[in-house]
Amino acid sequence: MVKFGRHLQFYLESDELQQSDGANEDPYIVPYTDIRECIGHSQQHFVAEWTSSLDQASEDYNKRLKLLWKRIFDDLVNASSSMACRRQQQQMPFSSQNQIDTLDDSTKFEKEYRGLPNDRAVQIYVTTIDERQSRELFAYIKKLHSTAAMNGEALRKLVKKFDKGASARGDDLLTATLFPELYSACFMAYQSLEIYIDIMRDSLVVSEDEEEEEDILDDDEDNQYNFQQRFQKEVVVVRRRADELSWLHNTISTISCLPFNLLSSLVAHRGFHCPRDGSDKRPMENSLAAYESAWSSGIHLCECDVALTKDEKLVLAHDDDFSRLALDPNSSSSKKKVSDLTMKEIISL
């Protein structure tokens, strides 16, 4: 069993934590080892240190969450302003009709952002802001999520460790006293960030085929702000995925008609996936979706590759590392061996 202190030390040394996130200082990390050493000396001192750490973690999370949303809306407003300026320049010499068109654009942007739900704001951000900024925001959210999760787990384990020998030491049990404080802390809502992570991860994985479709649909730069155009793009993606499944079903039907029993010996290599990495026309290799697509089409057998993570979890991974499949193939974590990564670290890739 891997000790939590070692997990925390690994996180402190990770590149994810070292990357700048615009907050001008490193995120607050619970001093797990220092607080743990208070156990057995003074219950009052332990509670004071634990509570102080909880307050600092909450303050830091709240500050960074505000920075996140300020960044999102600042970038959206700047992008809409820049687009309006480009339209105005393209329509020179300026006429009364051009002025009306520009005002209509401003009204459209105002209506689009008015009362915008948080998940929709992230979705609009990743489809309108350039890829570099979107990837920076994605890294920021992942870092915020990882730090909050690590701090919450550190504080929980500290109370658990204190209570383990509390009776023998003559101390009070602190679970009923401190856990309500912990679970009501603002940073314990970090799981809500997973929605934004999923939205951005799905949108940032773009294949070459998708880029070709976007070139066709985005002849006019203003289309990136048009919901109808984005809907059309989604229709194209869904249609392309349906075509792939239709091809698979037709192929299996043809094989089933052969006189010899070939289908029973047919094996889907890593499931039904695209051999060209980065495309989402088919499911990702070694995923449940890839296997279900194969099984539902009539294939009986699927091949997979099993590996063991650093925290002794079983995962399906074909390569020694995730440099081929990671959303950010240039990150140091994607180049580490599967056996050197925990399950949470693999999911974050």
Side-chain angles (χ1 to χ4, degrees):
M1 179 178 178
V2 181
K3 298 294 185 181
F4 178 76
R6 292 172 59 187
H7 279 301
L8 184 60
Q9 185 61 36
F10 179 83
Y11 179 68
L12 287 169
E13 295 172 354
S14 67
D15 289 342
E16 179 184 5
L17 190 63
Q18 302 303 321
Q19 293 173 353
S20 173
D21 59 8
N24 297 324
E25 57 185 33
D26 293 334
Y28 176 79
I29 302 296
V30 170
Y32 178 84
T33 303
D34 294 342
I35 300 177
R36 184 185 60 189
E37 292 176 354
C38 298
I39 299 175
H41 296 287
S42 169
Q43 175 174 320
Q44 183 178 3
H45 183 54
F46 173 85
V47 171
E49 291 295 318
W50 187 94
T51 303
S52 174
S53 188
L54 175 71
D55 292 341
Q56 291 182 71
S58 297
E59 181 181 356
D60 184 74
Y61 180 84
N62 192 45
K63 177 184 66 177
R64 293 174 188 278
L65 191 62
K66 288 181 180 178
L67 285 174
L68 166 66
W69 288 113
K70 187 176 188 312
R71 177 176 181 175
I72 288 175
F73 283 98
D74 282 352
D75 287 350
L76 287 176
V77 170
N78 290 336
S80 64
S81 299
S82 298
M83 199 282 291
C85 289
R86 287 197 300 270
R87 280 185 63 89
Q88 183 174 340
Q89 292 171 356
Q90 291 169 359
Q91 293 171 345
M92 296 298 286
F94 202 81
S95 67
S96 58
Q97 181 59 47
N98 291 340
Q99 185 176 13
I100 293 174
D101 291 341
T102 303
L103 290 174
D104 288 342
D105 285 338
S106 300
T107 302
K108 179 179 65 175
F109 295 135
E110 181 182 343
K111 289 181 178 179
E112 186 172 318
Y113 299 143
R114 186 188 303 156
L116 197 61
N118 49 14
D119 56 338
R120 187 59 181 157
V122 174
Q123 190 172 33
I124 292 178
Y125 187 99
V126 76
T127 55
T128 59
I129 305 300
D130 68 73
E131 183 176 353
R132 179 187 61 79
Q133 289 177 278
S134 294
R135 289 190 180 277
E136 288 176 356
L137 184 72
F138 179 70
Y140 183 98
I141 297 176
K142 286 205 304 177
K143 182 177 178 179
L144 183 63
H145 175 275
S146 300
T147 301
M150 189 65 67
N151 283 339
E153 187 67 1
L155 291 167
R156 185 190 69 83
K157 284 186 173 292
L158 284 167
V159 175
K160 179 182 178 181
K161 187 173 288 292
F162 183 93
D163 281 1
K164 185 176 182 180
S167 299
R169 298 191 306 269
D171 290 330
D172 299 328
L173 295 176
L174 297 178
T175 294
T177 302
L178 298 184
F179 271 18
E181 299 294 326
L182 173 61
Y183 293 151
S184 62
C186 63
F187 67 88
M188 291 302 289
Y190 67 87
Q191 290 182 343
S192 63
L193 297 174
E194 294 171 5
I195 298 174
Y196 315 139
I197 292 174
D198 289 341
I199 290 173
M200 300 200 74
R201 178 182 288 116
D202 292 342
S203 298
L204 288 172
V205 178
V206 180
S207 68
E208 293 178 4
D209 285 346
E210 288 172 326
E211 289 174 351
E212 292 173 2
E213 295 290 351
E214 288 177 356
D215 288 341
I216 296 173
L217 292 172
D218 285 337
D219 290 336
D220 183 355
E221 291 184 9
D222 300 349
N223 286 343
Q224 62 181 330
Y225 295 101
N226 190 307
F227 283 118
Q228 183 61 34
Q229 289 293 334
R230 284 198 292 272
F231 175 75
Q232 291 176 10
K233 293 179 188 178
E234 292 175 1
V235 169
V236 170
V237 172
V238 171
R239 186 185 300 121
R240 198 177 325 117
R241 292 174 180 173
D243 290 342
E244 289 293 307
L245 285 175
S246 177
W247 172 85
L248 177 62
H249 293 162
N250 293 336
T251 301
I252 298 303
S253 297
T254 302
I255 294 175
S256 301
C257 296
L258 295 176
F260 46 91
N261 190 16
L262 178 62
L263 189 58
S264 62
S265 303
L266 191 65
V267 179
H269 186 232
R270 289 176 256 169
F272 181 62
H273 71 97
C274 188
R276 197 177 71 192
D277 307 319
S279 173
D280 70 344
K281 292 198 302 184
R282 301 180 187 179
M284 178 177 286
E285 66 181 57
N286 275 322
S287 66
L288 183 58
Y291 296 126
E292 287 180 339
S293 295
W295 292 328
S296 64
S297 299
I299 298 177
H300 302 163
L301 304 175
C302 290
E303 179 266 355
C304 67
D305 309 277
V306 182
L308 193 65
T309 66
K310 184 177 181 180
D311 50 349
E312 300 181 347
K313 304 291 185 182
L314 289 175
V315 295
L316 301 185
H318 177 268
D319 303 338
D320 291 334
D321 57 40
F322 288 98
S323 57
R324 182 170 58 87
L325 298 176
L327 189 60
D328 181 9
N330 295 321
S331 68
S332 61
S333 294
S334 68
K335 296 179 175 62
K336 292 180 179 178
K337 291 185 176 180
V338 177
S339 57
D340 292 333
L341 297 169
T342 64
M343 177 66 81
K344 287 185 177 180
E345 290 166 342
I346 290 175
I347 292 175
S348 70
L349 293 173

